[in-house]
């Protein structure tokens, strides 16, 4: 049965790729699941592959890429579900493509990015060997409901997985850390203990300032970003757990948020038996995932993408580019389904940090004027273009040779802009 | 200058009731005061702050929250009910969004049938039938508030349905979208100078007329006379409004 599903799926996937039908990434999986709801668990139980789930609001793709890189450079075979395909259909599709006709995955490791809201459903089908939980922020409330609901659902999952799964959790995110404090769990924690990374300006986009146990207001000292930091509860004395890893000399990516991703990947890799030395070597020349601090050169000008899909990632990207003394910035705000249809979150971005910089800002995207309005109320000027081609062209023309244009796009805007630049439509 | 005007904007529970860009409203109120030479101080009213702080404010803003946060705020707010009610009854203008709006009513019935008493300042109640959330772009005609056709645009996202009792007018008629409940095609509420709405998070940036209405009322209450606010350039606001109007296929 599964052999047939795999053959059909592979054929469909080939067809949609060849005919460029789009959405090729999830419908072979959709079909396989509708015929055999246990397709995913069948395949994974039959294979001798170590399964890793990476979940959280921000950093999944980067962390998966770090893990993939470390493992491959250390002689392991790995497969990763395609970017964006992080719901059950997507996981099934990636198995369809990866499995041989006997329904077996011949890879040592499978790394799945799991959408934070799909974790509950997917975990009923698959018990991973590792679950890496990065963070929980507000993201696309119109689609997902509230962060509290998500973490409540997670609590049930942890209970079901604890016999098999090793948990690698962010100690600095109170809700994530608390989930690991149940008895009988195999947990390792990553977090920061670096006062120099402390965030001096409190950010507005805080989600989780209440104690996960008694709902009192938490104390955070220091805060690294958003609600992440060394937390403790003055009421019930719950506090951040001890860290299994807190620093590394390995900084393949800029930004405090990436420190967490790197620490998570290293903590995992050490657990699989790879030496710290070999881990460090494998991350030299690490290439980020597309849209995540990705660099493109066009007309001798550097373009650097910082995917910015929610207030937290936007704030962290702004902080990183401000530290880099950025002079040219293009912000692209779309409100399509992958971006979230509600753009209210732009009011949680702390644009005020740019006031003293001499940055030139351009805006574009479906909701370019909403972004321009947000900037106006931060006393920042911007030049707005409804047409994205035009925005990319004009903003690049403004950048002198040898300088960098920083682009902060939402998800669909990132795909569109990359296509314009890499497809060389206007260059 | 002796005739320097000033307002104190009371932002209720900013740390807890700020789920989705709610602070945009506070930023807009403050900037639109400052751009007119009116001093605008933001006073954060959080857990444990005394009753007296309510009487120091000329204008209130309260945003929405998640359930856990909302329970914590409810406990605290009940203790301050007297001072809060007094301010509202005295006509201190306020903007109450989503959860902040629901608090003002008699009760909130959760999806699993739990009836939670609210502040009971306004004659209205909210029930969450557990059916689908009402989500999407919305436009209403807020003639009730402005006395002439005035379109407000925004984004609504709520599970609760609010039913208004006597003496409370809706903020507006729904032109496109859902509104406060499933049947009435009405949105929000007006009671004295308090305005409740389900327009998600930042309603004021794209509706500067509403922001100015609140500022004008606050000045009039504080200084006891009529005010004409200096006109500001709203061309950026208009462009952003038009994008939504075009999507919803309405004229503004």
């Amino acid at each position: 049965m599964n052999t047939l599903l795999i053959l059909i799926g592979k054929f469909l996937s080939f067809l949609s790729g060849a005919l460029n039908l789009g959405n090729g990434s999830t419908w072979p999986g959709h079909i396989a699941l509708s015929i055999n709801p246990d397709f995913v668990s069948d395949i994974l139980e039959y294979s001798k592959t170590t399964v890793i789930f990476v979940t959280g609001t921000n950093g999944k793709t980067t962390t998966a890429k770090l893990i993939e890189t470390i493992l491959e450079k250390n002689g392991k075979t790995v497969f990763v579900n395609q970017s964006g395909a992080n719901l059950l259909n997507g996981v099934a599709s990636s198995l369809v493509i990866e499995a041989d006709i006997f329904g077996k995955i011949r890879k040592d490791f499978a790394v799945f990015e799991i959408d934070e809201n799909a974790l509950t459903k997917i975990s009923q089908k698959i018990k991973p060997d590792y679950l890496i939980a990065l963070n929980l922020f507000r993201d696309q409330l119109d689609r997902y409901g509230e962060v509290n609901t998500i973490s409540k659902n997670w609590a049930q999952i942890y209970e079901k997985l604890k016999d098999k799964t090793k948990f690698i959790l962010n100690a600095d995110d109170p809700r994530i850390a608390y989930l690991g404090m149940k008895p009988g769990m195999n947990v390792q924690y990553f977090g920061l203990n670096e006062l120099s990374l402390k965030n001096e300006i409190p950010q507005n986009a805080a989600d989780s300032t209440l104690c996960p146990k008694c709902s009192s207001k938490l104390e955070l000292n220091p805060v690294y970003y958003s609600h992440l930091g060394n937390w403790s509860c003055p009421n019930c004395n719950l506090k951040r757990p001890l860290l299994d890893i807190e620093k590394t000399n390995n900084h393949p990516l800029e930004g405090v948020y990436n420190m967490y991703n790197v620490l998570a990947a290293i903590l995992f890799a050490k657990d699989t038996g790879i030496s710290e030395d070999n881990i460090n070597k494998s991350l030299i020349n690490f290439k980020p995932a597309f849209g995540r601090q990705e660099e493109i050169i066009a007309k001798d000008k550097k373009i650097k993408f910082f995917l910015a899909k929610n207030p937290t990632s936007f704030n962290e990207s702004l902080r990183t580019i401000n530290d880099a003394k950025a002079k040219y910035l293009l912000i692209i705000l779309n409100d399509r389904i992958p971006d979230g249809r509600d753009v209210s979150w732009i009011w949680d971005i702390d644009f005020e940090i740019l006031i003293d910089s001499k940055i030139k800002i351009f805006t574009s995207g479906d909701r370019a004027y909403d972004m321009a309005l947000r900037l106006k109320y931060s006393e920042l000027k911007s030049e707005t273009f409804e047409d994205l081609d035009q925005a990319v062209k004009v903003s690049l023309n403004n950048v002198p040779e040898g300088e960098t244009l920083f682009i902060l796009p939402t998800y669909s805007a990132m795909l569109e802009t990359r296509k314009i630049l890499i497809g060389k439509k206007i260059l | 200058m002796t005739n320097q005007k000033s307002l104190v904007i009371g932002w209720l529970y900013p740390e807890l009731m700020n789920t989705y860009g709610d602070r945009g409203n506070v930023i807009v109120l403050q900037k639109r005061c400052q751009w007119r030479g009116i001093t605008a101080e933001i006073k954060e009213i959080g857990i444990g702050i005394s009753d007296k702080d309510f009487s120091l404010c000329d204008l209130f803003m309260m945003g929405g929250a998640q359930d856990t946060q909302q329970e914590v705020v409810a406990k605290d707010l009940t203790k301050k009910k007297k001072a809060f009610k007094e301010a509202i009854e005295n006509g201190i203008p306020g903007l109450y969004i989503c959860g902040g709006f629901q608090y003002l009513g008699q009760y909130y019935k959760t999806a699993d049938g739990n009836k939670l008493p609210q502040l009971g300042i306004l004659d209205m109640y909210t029930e969450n039938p557990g059916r689908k959330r009402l989500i999407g772009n919305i436009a209403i005609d807020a003639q009730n508030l402005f006395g002439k056709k005035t379109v407000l645009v925004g984004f609504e996202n709520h599970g609760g349905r609010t039913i208004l009792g006597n003496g409370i007018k809706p903020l507006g008629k729904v032109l496109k979208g859902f509104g406060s409940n499933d049947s009435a095609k009405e949105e929000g509420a007006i009671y004295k100078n308090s305005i409740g709405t389900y327009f998600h998070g930042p309603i004021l940036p794209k509706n500067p007329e509403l922001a100015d209405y609140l500022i004008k009322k606050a000045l009039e209450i504080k200084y006891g006379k009529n005010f004409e606010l200096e006109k500001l350039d709203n061309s950026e606001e208009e462009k952003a409004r038009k994008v939504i109007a075009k999507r919803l296929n309405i004229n503004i």
Side-chain angles (χ1 to χ4, degrees):
Chain A
M1 175 60 123
N2 287 335
T3 299
L4 187 66
L5 291 175
I6 287 164
L7 285 172
I8 294 171
K10 280 181 191 289
F11 179 67
L12 282 174
S13 163
F14 164 77
L15 222 99
S16 77
L19 300 175
N20 205 6
L21 291 177
N23 285 330
S25 66
T26 58
W27 54 291
H30 180 75
I31 292 169
L33 285 171
S34 58
I35 297 171
N36 176 10
D38 294 324
F39 176 78
V40 170
S41 45
D42 284 1
I43 300 286
L44 287 172
E45 266 163 35
Y46 183 51
S47 310
K48 288 197 176 73
T49 306
T50 302
V51 176
I52 302 134
F53 282 2
V54 182
T55 193
T57 315
N58 291 336
K60 294 186 286 289
T61 304
T62 297
T63 307
K65 184 93 196 265
L66 286 161
I67 289 173
E68 182 188 15
T69 306
I70 297 170
L71 290 171
E72 279 184 343
K73 294 235 169 127
N74 284 287
K76 313 284 185 199
T77 53
V78 188
F79 98 92
V80 181
N81 64 327
Q82 285 161 291
S83 183
N86 50 18
L87 302 172
L88 191 59
N89 284 346
V91 170
S93 289
S94 60
L95 291 176
V96 164
I97 292 157
E98 198 57 40
D100 63 20
I101 56 161
F102 306 107
K104 193 166 186 173
I105 306 286
R106 297 185 188 278
K107 290 276 164 69
D108 303 323
F109 290 90
V111 185
F112 295 111
E113 275 181 48
I114 305 292
D115 190 294
E116 62 275 23
N117 206 49
L119 181 68
T120 315
K121 201 173 164 199
I122 292 179
S123 299
Q124 274 150 13
K125 297 285 177 194
I126 314 169
K127 283 189 176 181
D129 298 284
Y130 289 91
L131 177 70
I132 302 176
L134 298 169
N135 48 54
L136 270 179
F137 300 113
R138 262 175 281 170
D139 187 26
Q140 306 178 17
L141 234 64
D142 58 307
R143 195 153 68 107
Y144 289 156
E146 299 167 341
V147 173
N148 287 336
T149 317
I150 296 173
S151 65
K152 265 183 207 155
N153 291 340
W154 281 22
Q156 295 165 8
I157 282 310
Y158 280 35
E159 206 49 43
K160 281 182 193 148
L161 297 180
K162 68 178 185 193
D163 295 336
K164 179 181 176 187
T165 306
K166 290 182 177 179
F167 292 84
I168 294 188
L169 305 179
N170 189 343
D172 290 0
D173 188 328
R175 266 186 296 237
I176 301 254
Y178 183 58
L179 293 171
M181 294 178 187
K182 304 246 160 60
M185 287 177 67
N186 183 338
V187 188
Q188 292 179 71
Y189 283 108
F190 59 94
L192 292 176
N193 251 344
E194 188 69 57
L195 279 170
S196 63
L197 297 173
K198 181 180 166 188
N199 195 354
E200 299 294 344
I201 312 151
Q203 289 167 318
N204 174 63
D207 300 286
S208 185
T209 49
L210 296 183
C211 174
K213 192 176 174 190
C214 74
S215 292
S216 303
K217 201 181 155 210
L218 288 175
E219 280 168 8
L220 275 97
N221 188 21
V223 182
Y224 294 111
Y225 76 94
S226 187
H227 63 268
L228 270 53
N230 187 6
W231 56 273
S232 59
C233 176
N235 181 46
C236 73
N237 296 325
L238 193 75
K239 58 176 196 223
R240 179 176 79 163
L242 293 176
L243 305 179
D244 296 289
I245 187 168
E246 60 180 54
K247 62 178 167 203
T248 165
N249 296 324
N250 222 316
H251 304 289
L253 294 163
E254 291 164 58
V256 178
Y257 56 107
N258 277 317
M259 293 282 293
Y260 285 101
N261 301 333
V262 172
L263 289 175
I266 293 177
L267 186 55
F268 157 79
K270 281 169 86 172
D271 195 75
T272 66
I274 303 173
S275 74
E276 202 155 340
D277 202 31
N278 283 337
I279 293 171
N280 287 336
K281 274 185 206 150
S282 61
L283 287 177
I284 298 167
N285 296 326
F286 173 78
K287 288 230 171 2
F290 74 108
R292 281 92 177 169
Q293 300 196 7
E294 183 188 30
E295 277 185 21
I296 292 175
I297 305 280
K299 285 187 176 170
D300 294 330
K301 294 165 189 175
K302 223 197 279 177
I303 297 160
K304 207 159 180 187
F305 280 97
F306 284 75
L307 176 64
K309 49 184 188 160
N310 46 45
T312 308
S313 69
F314 210 114
N315 275 334
E316 282 313 292
S317 296
L318 271 190
R319 187 170 150 192
T320 309
I321 69 162
N322 199 37
D323 289 348
K325 308 254 184 297
K327 288 189 203 134
Y328 304 91
L329 171 63
L330 168 60
I331 303 172
I332 313 164
L333 177 66
N334 280 356
D335 65 351
R336 299 171 201 178
I337 288 177
D339 309 301
R341 290 157 54 219
D342 183 2
V343 299
S344 302
W345 61 272
I346 63 173
W347 290 88
D348 286 327
I349 303 167
D350 299 315
F351 281 108
E352 289 72 14
I353 66 163
L354 297 180
I355 287 174
D356 294 329
S357 72
K358 289 197 176 104
I359 197 160
K360 170 119 180 95
I361 308 174
F362 305 88
T363 63
S364 188
D366 304 338
R367 300 295 290 271
Y369 292 115
D370 279 83
M371 186 51 84
L373 200 53
R374 173 69 189 97
L375 293 165
K376 172 183 167 175
Y377 279 93
S378 302
E379 311 269 1
L380 292 163
K381 286 200 167 45
S382 63
E383 204 175 323
T384 306
F385 298 90
E386 284 181 38
D387 181 65
L388 183 58
D389 279 306
Q390 188 70 11
V392 172
K393 194 173 166 180
V394 175
S395 52
L396 260 185
N397 283 343
N398 266 274
V399 177
E401 269 182 39
E403 294 275 358
T404 304
L405 174 65
F406 289 85
I407 302 184
L408 261 67
T410 56
Y411 193 79
S412 76
M414 186 261 289
L415 299 182
E416 233 182 316
T417 314
R418 257 181 119 249
K419 200 172 163 192
I420 290 171
L421 286 163
I422 295 170
K424 297 201 168 37
K425 261 164 117 182
I426 58 155
L427 298 170
Chain B
M1 232 161 60
T2 49
N3 62 347
Q4 170 79 42
K5 301 286 179 291
S6 69
L7 289 178
V8 177
I9 302 168
W11 184 5
L12 293 159
Y13 304 96
E15 283 184 36
L16 297 162
M17 305 290 283
N18 183 22
T19 297
Y20 225 35
D22 295 288
R23 80 158 169 174
N25 296 318
V26 179
I27 295 173
V28 168
L29 288 171
Q30 186 180 38
K31 289 288 173 195
R32 293 185 78 84
C33 283
Q34 289 173 350
W35 290 336
R36 293 174 165 119
I38 303 163
T39 310
E41 181 203 333
I42 293 172
K43 186 168 189 60
E44 301 196 353
I45 300 182
I47 300 274
I49 286 179
S50 85
D51 279 13
K52 282 190 209 116
D53 290 302
F54 280 92
S55 59
L56 300 175
C57 298
D58 305 308
L59 178 55
F60 290 106
M61 204 299 287
M62 186 171 188
Q66 309 191 51
D67 288 349
T68 320
Q69 276 86 338
Q70 210 151 318
E71 280 166 34
V72 174
V73 171
K75 251 188 238 162
D76 195 67
L77 204 50
T78 312
K79 294 180 211 152
K80 296 168 185 166
K81 182 182 154 178
K82 196 168 163 271
F84 192 22
K85 189 179 159 86
E86 212 171 271
I88 288 179
E89 294 292 351
N90 288 340
I92 301 295
L95 176 65
Y96 304 92
I97 311 269
C98 233
F101 173 33
Q102 293 165 352
Y103 275 139
L104 301 181
Q106 303 296 323
Y107 68 85
Y108 177 83
K109 197 163 142 193
T110 62
D112 37 25
N114 237 339
K115 207 164 161 180
L116 309 171
Q118 303 288 292
L119 292 171
I121 299 174
L122 267 63
D123 181 15
M124 61 176 209
Y125 62 90
T126 304
E127 297 189 340
N128 187 340
R131 285 197 303 277
K132 68 161 188 169
R133 288 180 78 84
L134 307 177
I135 304 175
N137 288 315
I138 177 170
I140 63 170
D141 175 5
Q143 183 148 18
N144 282 346
L145 189 70
F146 295 98
K148 61 177 173 42
K149 183 173 178 180
T150 306
V151 178
L152 305 179
V153 298
F155 194 93
E156 62 180 325
N157 181 354
H158 53 108
R161 272 70 162 172
T162 298
I163 313 292
L164 304 182
N166 293 329
I168 300 183
K169 285 187 292 185
L171 174 61
K173 279 200 188 87
V174 176
L175 301 172
K176 285 284 164 74
F178 298 101
S180 298
N181 57 56
D182 296 298
S183 49
K185 279 282 165 196
E186 291 169 345
E187 209 291 321
I190 307 170
Y191 177 71
K192 300 205 167 169
N193 291 323
S194 296
I195 294 166
T197 178
Y198 278 115
F199 275 47
H200 208 179
I203 178 176
L204 297 183
K206 277 201 292 295
N207 298 295
E209 278 167 296
L210 183 58
D212 288 352
Y213 176 92
L214 290 163
I215 294 170
K216 186 171 174 317
K217 283 289 169 200
L219 289 169
E220 288 177 352
I221 298 278
K222 180 164 183 179
Y223 294 100
K225 57 174 186 180
N226 284 341
F227 271 90
E228 277 313 313
L229 291 180
E230 187 189 323
K231 282 211 171 358
L232 297 175
D233 174 12
N234 288 338
S235 50
E236 300 269 8
E237 285 80 351
E238 275 309 308
K239 285 178 193 161
R241 282 165 64 79
K242 275 186 184 140
V243 173
I244 300 301
K246 202 174 155 195
R247 294 238 189 127
L248 294 173
N249 204 14
I250 54 159
N251 289 319
I252 54 171

